[in-house]
Amino acid sequence: MERPTPTLDYRKKNKKRGGTSLWQDAFRRFIRNKYAILGLVILTFMVLFAFIGPYFSPHQDVPDVTKANQPPSNEHWLGTDNLGRDVLLRLMLAGRISLTIGIAATLILLLIGVTLGSISGYYGGWLDVIIMRIADIIYAMPGLPILIVMGAIMSDLKIPPAHRIYYVMFILGIISWVGVARLVRSQILSLKEQEFMLATEVLGLKDSKKIIKHLFPNVLPTVIVAGTLGVASSIISESTLSFLGLGVVPPTPSWGYMLSAANNMIDFAKRPWLWIPPGVAIMLTVVAINFIGDALRDAFDPRQKI
Amino acid sequence: MAKNLVEFRNLKTFFYTEEGVVKAVNDVSFSIREGETVCVVGESGCGKSVTALSLMRLIQSPPGKIVGGEIIFDGRDILKLSDAEMRRIRGNEIGMIFQEPMTSLNPVLTIGEQIMEPLMVHKLMTKKEAWNKAIELIKQVGIPRAEQIMTSYPHELSGGMRQRIMIAIALSCDPKLLIADEPTTALDVTIQAQILDLLRKIKQERNMALMLITHDLGIVAEIADYVVVMYAGKVIEEAPVRELFKNSKHPYTRGLLKAKPIIGQRQERLYTIPGQVPNPIGLGDYCYFSDRCEYAMDICHQKIPQLISDENGHKVACWLYEGEWKK
């Protein structure tokens, strides 16, 4: 048997990786991960399903009590709800709301959490004390009362139902940045004592550059994991809000709302087409995002060789 | 004679800890001339690194503080510069490399990004120019396949290669002074020799001054032009390297030289200086070495000896030579 020449093989392997930066290398590692691709495919499908799907539906999202509670049929693939609306169409419309809220709330919470956590950990001193005490206060207050108070304020201010969704995103982001900020802060605290940070000091770099270019890529894996968990919990929190009548207002559907609308024994036992589809939709989305998150975390760790 | 590039004048860097004030650098004065290699020698904890960090103004405050003195670098008093001016000096006019090449590079950035960064910040190069310059630098520090190294991550390189990369980064902006804080301590002996050769070669090519901090007298003999010996935060002896090795004066320096193995001589045990470095907190006004010194006299326990120079420029702070000099 002919044995391959190791040196040639080595060169060939290395020739492929011509990337110059962390981001390019991370992208290369990301697309080679099959779970990442699976996650992306599912998520893309969910997005298309929610945003483009409704245009292909023959039905209108209006009540028609004559057709209430029909099981899945050729006309209504996923049946109808208690007001005779097509479940499939509502599932698609609900996806718009849930996906938007889940992703936007997570982006907001990451933005606030990472910024404040980095500043707090890097500069320390009184800045750290102030930020962390605010975080403690928010952390100490149970989430539900805050949500109820905010919901009441929104109702009092007569915010139009169509705009409520934006406020819901903000509220969810604002009450949940604390965990991320703490995570990031503790990571930065230990990272900034590393010798390579002293080395950046020696190079005469600015603080902003040190934080963004040298510290941030090191905390990225943690942030990504926190973010993927955040999407899932935001979708769930939104359903809590909607259930309490504080989030999006009926008739606007969201997955969480559709789930909680089927909360009586009859629906649960006799009409599974009401609650299985939104449940499956939430599950698929969350799993897909977790796959993507895991793959991203691995992709940003250069020690992983793919 | 070349002019002074760096001049430490009565530098005092203290650390205010809970137990008391640690005078890590206490009234230290010496100078580094352009293109000269100055070795700062001494045991652990004698203030070598703190002296270097004071020059970079990287003393963590609190607990550390530069309480007095001046550091003149190229005509400017470093201690009076603003933070922005200081950033322009760091990495641009003074480069620094550390003991631990394993941890001195950021694990998630490629070698290329890390070499290009100071070039783009200080020399305002475009990405392309910086890339070409970086490749040139990698070749200069003796690493083959520069293009491939540029896209590698630190964990893919060996310790010796990483230290070469650190040197390349420190050299990127053509500094006038390179501070090397025990650059070879973490490396094995053959790599040590290569790194020293590299430092010497680069220094000669660029006529750059080198401040080398070490406790290895072998390295001193090999590379230094001038030696500064520190003990408990003070300079106790300084002299050109030949003079120091041939004609050391301070009992501590002699002890250090005696503690070195000599090739071709069999010894049962190497010499050790008796006792330990004194606790740096709350030292009184006496020669700090007096407790360990076999020549100690009464006056040694009572007054601090001053650093005085003989006619050859060999400076020593020891009461043994005080009388001799006065005659």
Side-chain angles (χ1 to χ4, degrees):
Chain A
M1 270 268 282
E2 187 88 358
R3 283 170 67 177
T5 324
T7 45
L8 281 178
D9 202 36
Y10 176 70
R11 279 199 199 129
K12 213 164 101 196
K13 200 178 109 200
N14 274 280
K15 213 171 183 180
K16 274 188 196 158
R17 32 174 317 193
T20 55
S21 76
L22 176 69
W23 298 88
Q24 288 172 20
D25 279 349
F27 177 71
R28 192 164 297 118
R29 278 189 288 263
F30 181 76
I31 56 169
R32 285 189 202 164
N33 186 328
K34 52 180 184 289
Y35 287 105
I37 301 302
L38 182 63
L40 268 186
V41 168
I42 298 176
L43 194 66
T44 316
F45 172 75
M46 294 310 287
V47 169
L48 293 179
F49 174 75
F51 287 90
I52 300 184
Y55 297 117
F56 295 97
S57 172
H59 304 285
Q60 296 289 312
D61 186 34
V62 284
D64 180 359
V65 205
T66 55
K67 293 181 185 162
N69 291 329
Q70 287 180 1
S73 63
N74 258 342
E75 202 197 342
H76 299 284
W77 291 358
L78 291 178
T80 59
D81 66 3
N82 56 350
L83 295 175
R85 293 170 296 196
D86 182 55
V87 172
L88 182 62
L89 176 64
R90 279 181 72 74
L91 192 66
M92 295 193 261
L93 294 173
R96 291 182 177 182
I97 305 286
S98 288
L99 284 174
T100 315
I101 288 187
I103 290 167
T106 305
L107 288 181
I108 292 170
L109 89 88
L110 285 185
L111 189 72
I112 302 177
V114 172
T115 313
L116 291 184
S118 308
I119 291 173
S120 187
Y122 187 80
Y123 291 103
W126 59 269
L127 215 52
D128 179 34
V129 172
I130 291 176
I131 293 174
M132 280 301 116
R133 288 306 77 77
I134 294 175
D136 284 346
I137 291 170
I138 294 180
Y139 207 67
M141 286 194 281
L144 211 50
I146 300 184
L147 290 179
I148 293 173
V149 169
M150 297 222 175
I153 293 176
M154 286 200 298
S155 303
D156 246 26
L157 292 177
K158 306 240 178 341
I159 288 165
H163 289 178
R164 276 202 166 198
I165 171 174
Y166 304 111
Y167 292 91
V168 171
M169 290 178 221
F170 255 107
I171 294 168
L172 288 176
I174 283 168
I175 60 171
S176 47
W177 59 270
V178 174
V180 177
R182 285 188 170 172
L183 266 177
V184 170
R185 172 178 174 270
S186 67
Q187 289 245 312
I188 293 220
L189 275 182
S190 75
L191 281 167
K192 74 170 180 180
E193 299 301 328
Q194 300 269 317
E195 208 150 71
F196 65 81
M197 286 314 293
L198 183 62
T200 60
E201 196 98 52
V202 162
L203 289 179
L205 302 181
K206 282 187 196 148
D207 282 356
S208 55
K209 194 143 198 167
K210 278 188 274 188
I211 296 179
I212 293 169
K213 185 152 180 207
H214 288 264
L215 283 176
F216 183 64
N218 281 291
V219 288
L220 205 55
T222 320
V223 171
I224 288 167
V225 172
T228 49
L229 295 175
V231 174
S233 69
S234 295
I235 291 179
I236 309 287
S237 305
E238 182 276 325
S239 70
T240 315
L241 272 183
S242 305
F243 180 67
L244 292 169
L246 305 168
V248 292
V249 196
T252 318
S254 79
W255 287 338
Y257 177 73
M258 288 173 75
L259 260 187
S260 49
N263 70 340
N264 57 57
M265 277 321 285
I266 301 172
D267 283 345
F268 191 72
K270 305 275 190 214
R271 297 170 194 137
W273 63 87
L274 290 182
W275 51 268
I276 287 182
V280 170
I282 292 179
M283 190 196 76
L284 279 180
T285 310
V286 170
V287 167
I289 287 172
N290 279 335
F291 278 165
I292 294 172
D294 267 359
L296 278 177
R297 190 195 54 203
D298 289 348
F300 278 103
D301 181 0
R303 272 153 292 210
Q304 297 269 342
K305 288 203 179 114
I306 298 180
Chain B
M1 196 164 114
K3 71 177 174 78
N4 282 346
L5 180 67
V6 185
E7 223 183 311
F8 295 92
R9 290 185 192 151
N10 310 94
L11 177 69
K12 289 181 183 171
T13 306
F14 296 171
F15 289 87
Y16 295 90
T17 63
E18 278 180 19
E19 289 93 54
V21 181
V22 179
K23 299 180 176 178
V25 174
N26 190 2
D27 208 2
V28 161
S29 304
F30 67 92
S31 58
I32 300 170
R33 287 180 290 177
E34 282 177 350
E36 189 181 44
T37 303
V38 172
C39 280
V40 181
V41 201
E43 278 169 280
S44 309
C46 70
K48 299 167 298 199
S49 300
V50 176
T51 309
L53 289 176
S54 301
L55 171 55
M56 286 298 240
R57 271 219 345 230
L58 289 177
I59 301 292
Q60 277 245 333
S61 166
K65 194 169 182 234
I66 300 178
V67 256
E70 290 174 322
I71 303 173
I72 309 295
F73 174 78
D74 213 14
R76 285 160 291 178
D77 187 350
I78 289 261
L79 304 181
K80 294 207 179 78
L81 296 178
S82 71
D83 284 353
E85 288 172 309
M86 198 57 223
R87 269 204 301 274
R88 271 197 292 277
I89 288 189
R90 286 184 201 139
N92 193 13
E93 296 184 50
I94 307 179
M96 186 162 179
I97 52 179
F98 299 97
Q99 186 173 349
E100 267 297 337
M102 292 303 181
T103 52
S104 305
L105 291 164
N106 195 332
V108 299
L109 298 178
T110 58
I111 301 294
E113 283 178 284
Q114 300 192 50
I115 302 185
M116 283 153 67
E117 188 159 37
L119 291 167
M120 284 153 69
V121 171
H122 291 301
K123 297 291 179 206
L124 306 174
M125 287 188 182
T126 62
K127 207 158 186 180
K128 189 126 205 264
E129 289 167 342
W131 175 273
N132 292 334
K133 173 84 179 172
I135 287 196
E136 193 185 305
L137 281 164
I138 295 179
K139 284 180 180 153
Q140 249 177 48
V141 293
I143 303 180
R145 297 179 326 219
E147 279 86 359
Q148 197 187 321
I149 295 292
M150 286 291 279
T151 58
S152 302
Y153 288 94
H155 71 272
E156 294 169 325
L157 307 183
S158 68
M161 278 163 104
R162 287 189 218 182
Q163 193 60 294
R164 283 167 195 264
I165 295 295
M166 287 307 293
I167 294 175
I169 294 175
L171 290 177
S172 56
C173 295
D174 286 313
K176 296 179 182 135
L177 171 71
L178 179 66
I179 304 173
D181 189 350
E182 310 208 13
T184 57
T185 310
L187 305 172
D188 66 56
V189 185
T190 48
I191 308 294
Q192 270 187 19
Q194 290 172 11
I195 295 287
L196 286 180
D197 282 345
L198 174 68
L199 282 174
R200 187 166 31 207
K201 190 187 106 203
I202 283 170
K203 200 203 79 144
Q204 271 161 8
E205 281 169 7
R206 301 174 174 233
N207 192 32
M208 171 184 75
L210 178 63
M211 176 176 173
L212 187 77
I213 296 168
T214 181
H215 52 239
D216 185 342
L217 287 164
I219 293 176
V220 177
E222 204 167 315
I223 199 169
D225 297 320
Y226 195 80
V227 187
V228 175
V229 186
M230 286 185 72
Y231 186 78
K234 280 187 166 300
V235 175
I236 52 151
E237 184 163 7
E238 54 170 287
V241 65
R242 281 178 172 276
E243 171 73 13
L244 189 98
F245 273 79
K246 233 169 42 192
N247 195 7
S248 55
K249 288 187 168 174
H250 198 286
Y252 177 66
T253 319
R254 287 190 189 170
L256 284 181
L257 286 170
K258 249 164 89 182
K260 218 171 92 63
I262 300 165
I263 295 176
Q265 266 186 34
R266 270 199 97 71
Q267 280 165 297
E268 274 303 305
R269 282 187 84 113
L270 284 174
Y271 176 79
T272 52
I273 304 175
Q276 278 162 359
V277 185
N279 183 348
I281 295 170
L283 284 173
D285 285 338
Y286 52 89
C287 173
Y288 301 147
F289 190 60
S290 57
D291 292 337
R292 302 170 73 184
C293 181
E294 40 191 315
Y295 305 104
M297 304 173 292
D298 286 344
I299 191 165
C300 300
H301 297 289
Q302 287 152 11
K303 277 174 88 177
I304 298 179
Q306 295 304 310
L307 194 65
I308 43 173
S309 172
D310 73 0
E311 57 275 13
N312 303 326
H314 186 148
K315 293 180 190 168
V316 64
C318 179
W319 289 114
L320 285 174
Y321 301 95
E322 193 94 329
E324 185 190 284
W325 169 240
K326 273 178 188 153
K327 267 181 251 164

